[in-house]
Amino acid sequence: MTTVPVALGSRSYDILIAEGALDDAGTHLARFARNGRLVVVTDDNVAAAQLTRLEDGLVAAGIAVEPIVLPSGEGTKSWRFLEELLDRLLSVEVERTDHIVALGGGVIGDLVGFAASILKRGCNFVQVPTTLLAQVDSSVGGKTAINSKAGKNLIGAFHQPSFVLIDPSTLDSLPAREVAAGYAEVVKYGLIDDPVFFAWCEANGAALLAGDRAARAYAIEKSVRAKAAIVADDERETTGRRALLNLGHTFGHALEADTGFSDTLLHGEGVAAGMALAFRFSARQGLCDRADADRVAAHLQAVGLPYDLATAHVRAGGEELVGHMLHDKKMAGGKLPFLLARGIGQTYLAKDVDLTDVAAFLDDDRG
Ligand code: NAD
Ligand code: GLY
């Protein structure tokens, strides 16, 4: 069992990582129950695979569960389901000091976090992430959001959870493709500022994806520690440090937009291809060695993740993809900040990227 603190003054909280923690949920979550009850929000897939474990763990400690089950999928991060969730939370009389439990992946975590941020002018929530992506990234740091017609994650709030409970064994029921997509976010921490961890990924990534529990636990803890440090340093993405977590996301977002934010390309898969593109673009601009860019692509390819436009199933040309980037919420004063690299573990925020260079690169990179 490992505890990683997120140091944010009065908003500080712990992340507890423990294999099998869901079965012992009563011990870990009892302090968040009011009058012996916890409201748990989840989606239908997670309800089928993991809700009974959580319920049994809570009931064993005398805590009754009020489950709210929403449909799975990105479409649930929407006005429609935000409204439905808020109405249901009000109907079960959630109070301002209560803690709502978000059991699920990034979709449930982002939606519940946002609902908690506005319900009765702000109540509390606890993250119990059940995808690798949510365990290593989205459950930590307090970014919450829903999507709108204008784009993804455009309506939201910073609202930190009170606690994050990570049980890696919940990943046993997660489809292999989803585990691999989440693994892209693990690799990201190595590429940002930890070349030794990237080398660890090269050596251990395949075993992790094949279900090696020790490798999985190590990667989750390493990622969570990296994210907690970044969030503690730059909670609201104002100094540029937290922006490093967006490595691969600007290219990735354009690829996701081209594929309609659909199952053709999962978010983590878009990030994987986006990181490979960011490194190859950096090499083309003379910022980093081509050998580093090739090493990144080789590792992503080795674990079955997309690493270029073809493997991401993207057909659009450079100009069209850059058009998608212009809708990015990171646009500021008509400029789009880009995460580029001087080498593996040397990511930095570039504010002077010429988008016509990006479009030309994408056309040439397709080959
Ligand atoms: P997701 O929540 O849609 O989960 C992926 C799929 O796996 C869903 O079908 C879900 O029902 C299923 N699932 C989840 N856990 C399961 C389990 N243990 N067993 C069986 N099935 C399970 O997707 P995700 O990849 O976790 O999250 C993607 C979302 O996260 C996106 O909306 C993205 O914008 C957001 N995100 C947010 C942040 C942040 O900092 N807040 C960071 C990264 C991504
Ligand atoms: N996933 C990016 C962030 O939390 O800032």
Side-chain angles (χ1 to χ4, degrees), residues 137-138 140-141 143 185 188 227 231 237 242 245-246 249:
D137 188 356
S138 64
V140 176
K143 276 191 182 175
E185 305 277 8
K188 185 182 77 178
K227 178 133 189 197
V231 168
E237 209 167 305
R242 186 164 182 169
L245 293 169
N246 296 326
H249 284 60

Side-chain angles (χ1 to χ4, degrees), residues 98-180:
D98 283 356
H99 289 78
I100 306 162
V101 177
L103 173 73
V107 165
I108 287 296
D110 281 12
L111 175 75
V112 173
F114 186 40
S117 78
I118 54 176
L119 188 75
K120 299 193 171 174
R121 298 202 177 88
C123 63
N124 307 300
F125 78 118
V126 168
Q127 292 268 21
V128 184
T130 63
T131 63
L132 184 58
L133 181 141
Q135 293 183 354
V136 301
D137 188 356
S138 64
S139 66
V140 176
K143 276 191 182 175
T144 74
I146 57 167
N147 306 321
S148 88
K149 278 190 207 120
K152 268 191 75 176
N153 294 327
L154 292 180
I155 300 157
F158 283 97
H159 187 54
Q160 299 293 342
S162 303
F163 183 57
V164 182
L165 181 64
I166 299 179
D167 178 351
S169 78
T170 56
L171 303 180
D172 291 343
S173 60
L174 188 66
R177 186 178 168 200
E178 294 284 356
V179 180

Side-chain angles (χ1 to χ4, degrees), residues 220-234:
I220 292 171
E221 181 181 339
K222 192 87 183 154
S223 302
V224 157
R225 283 193 190 282
K227 178 133 189 197
I230 289 174
V231 168
D233 195 46
D234 181 18

Side-chain angles (χ1 to χ4, degrees), residues 31-275:
R31 68 197 148 111
F32 300 112
R34 181 176 57 85
N35 293 337
R37 183 191 79 156
L38 273 173
V39 177
V40 176
V41 184
T42 191
D43 73 30
D44 46 16
N45 289 333
V46 183
Q50 300 291 342
L51 181 58
T52 308
R53 282 182 70 197
L54 181 71
E55 280 177 333
D56 289 351
L58 291 171
V59 168
I63 299 164
V65 175
E66 184 75 55
I68 296 179
V69 181
L70 300 173
S72 55
E74 189 68 34
T76 298
K77 266 177 61 173
S78 59
W79 282 116
R80 180 182 156 202
F81 286 103
L82 177 67
E83 184 180 12
E84 176 171 331
L85 175 58
L86 290 167
D87 283 342
R88 288 175 71 175
L89 291 169
L90 291 170
S91 75
V92 295
E93 291 170 6
V94 169
E95 293 185 6
R96 202 173 178 189
T97 54
D98 283 356
H99 289 78
I100 306 162
V101 177
L103 173 73
V107 165
I108 287 296
D110 281 12
L111 175 75
V112 173
F114 186 40
S117 78
I118 54 176
L119 188 75
K120 299 193 171 174
R121 298 202 177 88
C123 63
N124 307 300
F125 78 118
V126 168
Q127 292 268 21
V128 184
T130 63
T131 63
L132 184 58
L133 181 141
Q135 293 183 354
V136 301
D137 188 356
S138 64
S139 66
V140 176
K143 276 191 182 175
T144 74
I146 57 167
N147 306 321
S148 88
K149 278 190 207 120
K152 268 191 75 176
N153 294 327
L154 292 180
I155 300 157
F158 283 97
H159 187 54
Q160 299 293 342
S162 303
F163 183 57
V164 182
L165 181 64
I166 299 179
D167 178 351
S169 78
T170 56
L171 303 180
D172 291 343
S173 60
L174 188 66
R177 186 178 168 200
E178 294 284 356
V179 180
Y183 175 72
E185 305 277 8
V186 172
V187 174
K188 185 182 77 178
Y189 292 107
L191 295 179
I192 289 174
D193 62 1
D194 192 343
V196 174
F197 184 55
F198 179 71
W200 181 92
C201 289
E202 290 178 304
N204 298 282
L208 185 161
L209 293 176
D212 182 317
R213 283 170 187 257
R216 192 168 74 181
Y218 179 79
I220 292 171
E221 181 181 339
K222 192 87 183 154
S223 302
V224 157
R225 283 193 190 282
K227 178 133 189 197
I230 289 174
V231 168
D233 195 46
D234 181 18
E235 182 185 11
R236 289 187 168 237
E237 209 167 305
T238 47
T239 68
R241 176 123 191 255
R242 186 164 182 169
L244 298 177
L245 293 169
N246 296 326
L247 173 63
H249 284 60
T250 301
F251 282 109
H253 179 88
L255 310 186
E256 282 187 88
D258 182 64
T259 47
F261 294 101
S262 67
D263 283 354
T264 305
L265 188 71
L266 302 178
H267 174 72
E269 294 171 338
V271 170
M275 293 190 299

